[in-house]
């Protein structure tokens, strides 16, 4: 279930007081802020919003400058990325994979076609990290291999694995928008049999070994989950990591060395990196 | 030729935890920017500040591409940290009095200098001290210029 947010528009005469109020509201659990010349748009999860507490907080600054609540508006969950998603361009990877939306009509043929309707999930191939993961997967034997896609987003990597006859495939994401979107994209691509799980590393089926482990997430999540991912990798299995910056590469290699993993491939593009390690 | 700028958006978002929900969603999505691309880049750039408030200035270009710069944390957040005070919903912060030293004011001013419209460290320190006072935090001792 997506978090519902409330927008509170505050008119604050003095930018220095706006700065203080932002910090104070942040401490109270407000999520984030957009700054305007006339004040702040504050966003808070609707369940945490209490107008009386907000007014009490503002009251302690009204002797310093003029402050007013201009608007309190609950925001309905919606696809905020809809404009971009409605007109994104197809992506061609290594001249072998095309990632396209259902509305794209492509005349050229490619060995692999993945159809993605992103709906606020990550993974359309436009980002360097997704493209590099797919590029690396092109050189991996996937047929009949067990694959884990940890942080699946749109499901793009799991779907590509399924198209290449990998099985079983487990796709995990902590964001319900992503797991729902993975299920939708499986249907669009006529893919069945991917196990889609909502949650973090604890959702990785205990004891199940994967020949290919894919983790295109962030440095912090990769480091926090590394041990679990390693333990779920089959002997001689391969682990692909991306979502990291080139500056993170030495730290990840160092970590992998502690697990006696062998660096097999390294790709970089525009400050982003993809590292592939082999176990055993 | 430089890309044509459409607009600037200034947001304050939790480091390492950006997602397409508000305000990133409405602020950037309405301008046709790929929010997911921004979240990925922002989270990677702020992973060392996970959960802290990170001001970010985003430039949106006419072609819907974007660029961004991470700014220094708000002066008030740095004062709060230095004074080791915590603000709570039940106690508006000005009732909570904390203390910081002029040395701490200088440290905060030096950190904030790149983002302040100040030409000298002294004027930046005056600004930080003003923020502290508004928060109910006393600056102990005598100002270095007094």
């Amino acid at each position: 279930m997506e978090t519902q947010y409330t927008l509170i528009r505050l008119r604050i005469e003095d930018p220095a007081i706006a700065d203080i109020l932002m910090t104070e509201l942040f401490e109270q659990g407000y999520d984030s802020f957009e700054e305007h010349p006339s004040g702040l748009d504050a966003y808070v999860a609707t369940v945490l919003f209490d107008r009386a507490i907000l007014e009490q907080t503002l009251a302690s600054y009204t002797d310093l400058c003029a402050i007013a609540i201009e608007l309190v508006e609950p925001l309905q969950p919606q696809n905020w990325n809809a404009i971009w998603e409605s007109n994104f361009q197809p992506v061609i990877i290594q001249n072998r994979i095309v990632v396209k939306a259902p509305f794209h009509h492509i005349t050229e043929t490619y060995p692999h076609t993945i159809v993605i309707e992103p709906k606020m999930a990550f993974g359309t191939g436009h980002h360097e990290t997704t493209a590099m993961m797919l590029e690396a997967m092109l050189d991996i034997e996937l047929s009949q291999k067990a694959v884990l896609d940890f942080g699946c987003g749109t499901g793009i990597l799991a779907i590509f694995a399924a198209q290449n006859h990998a099985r079983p495939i487990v796709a995990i994401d902590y964001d319900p928008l992503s797991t729902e979107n993975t299920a939708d994209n499986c249907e669009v691509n006529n893919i069945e049999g991917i196990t889609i799980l909502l949650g973090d590393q604890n959702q990785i089926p205990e004891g199940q070994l994967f020949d290919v482990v894919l983790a295109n997430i962030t440095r912090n999540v990769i480091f926090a989950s590394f041990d679990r991912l390693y333990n779920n990798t089959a002997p001689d299995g391969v682990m692909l990591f991306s979502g990291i910056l080139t500056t993170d590469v030495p730290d990840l290699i160092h970590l992998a060395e502690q697990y006696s993993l062998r660096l097999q491939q390294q790709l970089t593009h525009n400050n982003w990196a993809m590292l592939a390690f082999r176990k055993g | 030729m430089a890309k044509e700028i459409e607009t600037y958006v200034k947001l304050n978002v939790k480091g390492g935890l950006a997602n397409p929900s508000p305000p990133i969603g409405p602020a950037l999505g309405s301008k046709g920017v790929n929010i997911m691309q921004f979240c990925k880049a922002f989270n990677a750039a702020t992973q060392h500040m996970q959960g802290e408030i990170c001001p970010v200035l985003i430039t949106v270009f006419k072609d819907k591409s974007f660029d961004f710069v991470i700014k220094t944390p708000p002066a008030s957040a740095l004062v709060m940290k230095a004074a080791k005070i915590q603000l709570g919903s039940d106690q508006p912060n000005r009732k909570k009095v904390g203390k910081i030293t002029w040395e701490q004011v200088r440290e905060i001013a030096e950190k904030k200098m790149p983002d302040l419209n100040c030409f000298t460290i002294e004027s930046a320190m005056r600004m930080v001290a003003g923020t502290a006072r508004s928060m109910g935090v006393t600056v102990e001792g005598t100002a270095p210029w007094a």
Side-chain angles (χ1 to χ4, degrees), chain A residues 62-82:
Chain A
T62 44
D63 58 330
L64 298 175
C65 84
I67 301 172
I69 300 174
E70 287 195 328
L71 175 74
V72 174
E73 183 182 36
L75 300 172
Q76 295 308 314
Q78 58 178 281
N79 183 356
W80 302 106
N81 213 24

Side-chain angles (χ1 to χ4, degrees), chain A residues 19 23 32-33 60-61 220, chain B residues 10 12 23 47 50 76 93-94:
Chain A
D19 177 291
T23 300
S32 35
F33 306 86
S60 57
Y61 294 96
N220 289 352
Chain B
K10 190 169 183 196
N12 289 269
Q47 57 201 357
Q50 183 132 347
S76 50
N93 69 357
R94 292 177 65 224

Side-chain angles (χ1 to χ4, degrees), chain A residues 119-178:
Chain A
K119 292 181 187 166
M120 285 212 297
F122 184 82
T124 53
H126 289 80
H127 198 271
E128 292 86 342
T129 56
T130 315
M132 288 190 291
M133 290 293 273
L134 287 168
E135 184 182 336
M137 288 172 75
L138 278 167
D139 296 328
I140 294 173
E141 177 57 52
L142 292 165
S143 181
Q144 305 304 312
K145 301 291 186 188
V147 172
L148 170 64
D149 182 1
F150 186 59
C152 59
T154 59
I156 185 169
L157 303 181
I159 289 167
F160 182 70
Q163 288 176 338
N164 286 279
H165 313 292
R167 66 179 190 151
I169 301 170
V170 176
I172 301 177
D173 205 294
Y174 82 106
D175 182 354
L177 286 174
S178 293

Side-chain angles (χ1 to χ4, degrees), chain A residues 5 19-20 22-24 27 32-33 35 43 60-61 63 80-81 83-84 120 122 129 216-217 219-220 248, chain B residues 10-12 20-23 25 27 29-30 33-36 40 44 47 50 74 76-77 80 89 93-94 134:
Chain A
Y5 284 86
D19 177 291
I20 295 170
M22 190 165 67
T23 300
E24 180 146 359
E27 287 292 305
S32 35
F33 306 86
E35 290 182 46
Y43 294 86
S60 57
Y61 294 96
D63 58 330
W80 302 106
N81 213 24
I83 296 177
W84 181 82
M120 285 212 297
F122 184 82
T129 56
N216 177 16
I217 326 178
R219 176 203 159 106
N220 289 352
D248 299 323
Chain B
K10 190 169 183 196
L11 302 178
N12 289 269
S21 59
S30 61
V33 169
N34 183 0
I35 305 169
M36 304 313 298
K40 188 93 171 171
Q47 57 201 357
Q50 183 132 347
S76 50
M80 211 177 75
S89 58
N93 69 357
R94 292 177 65 224
S134 301

